[in-house]
Amino acid sequence: MEGCGCVDDGSDGSETKYRGVRRRPSGKFAAEIRDSRRQSARIWLGTFDTAGEAARAYDRAAYLMRGHLAVLNFPGETHKYVRGSSSSQQPQHGGGGSGQQVMELEYLDDKVLQDLLIKDGKEKKNS
């Protein structure tokens, strides 16, 4: 994969082309991720039969940790990691009991955002 920063020399088959995945001597693939909040401690994600399964496990963990800033193996599959109720699973900043309403948007293009802003402006003028 270009730009992932992974090693793939292809000579002995021990390296994989996916971030967070390595091939074990048994032929299975191990996935792990480093947690920057805990001094780069390794978090074990499991052993998988294929490199793709291991890479997807890494992607899920990376997306949960870093959100839209995560560097993923399969960036086109982020819609699988976003859930409508994931705000309750994300760590809360600032004490957690702030009473502010949090709304997560999966993806909105500029036209939809403009329509929402116009609608909100009209509602404020009418009230």
Side-chain angles (χ1 to χ4, degrees), residues 102-115:
V102 176
M103 182 171 70
E104 287 188 25
L105 303 175
E106 187 172 327
Y107 171 78
L108 296 176
D109 62 9
D110 291 340
K111 173 77 171 113
V112 175
L113 289 172
Q114 288 296 330
D115 291 346

Side-chain angles (χ1 to χ4, degrees), residues 24 29-32 43-48 54 57:
R24 304 187 85 178
F29 296 88
E32 62 187 12
I43 298 174
W44 181 253
L45 303 174
T47 303
F48 301 88

Side-chain angles (χ1 to χ4, degrees), residues 80-92:
K80 294 180 181 179
Y81 313 131
V82 178
R83 294 185 212 151
S85 63
S86 63
S87 61
S88 62
Q89 297 170 357
Q90 301 271 337
Q92 302 241 345

Side-chain angles (χ1 to χ4, degrees), residues 4 23 30 32 35-36 39 43 57 62 64-65 68 73 78-79 82 90-91 97 106 108 120-122 124 127:
C4 79
R23 189 176 188 139
E32 62 187 12
D35 187 353
S36 58
Q39 301 169 346
I43 298 174
L64 283 173
M65 285 181 170
H68 71 281
N73 293 302
T78 55
H79 64 279
V82 178
Q90 301 271 337
E106 187 172 327
L108 296 176
D120 187 44
K122 288 179 181 177
K124 286 182 180 178
S127 53

Side-chain angles (χ1 to χ4, degrees), residues 7 9 11-13 20-24 26 35 39 45 54 67 71 73 84 89 91 96 98 104 109 113 121 123 125:
V7 179
D9 61 5
S11 60
D12 63 354
V21 177
R22 60 187 166 86
R23 189 176 188 139
R24 304 187 85 178
S26 64
D35 187 353
Q39 301 169 346
L45 303 174
V71 178
N73 293 302
Q89 297 170 357
S98 63
E104 287 188 25
D109 62 9
L113 289 172
E123 287 176 0
K125 285 181 183 177

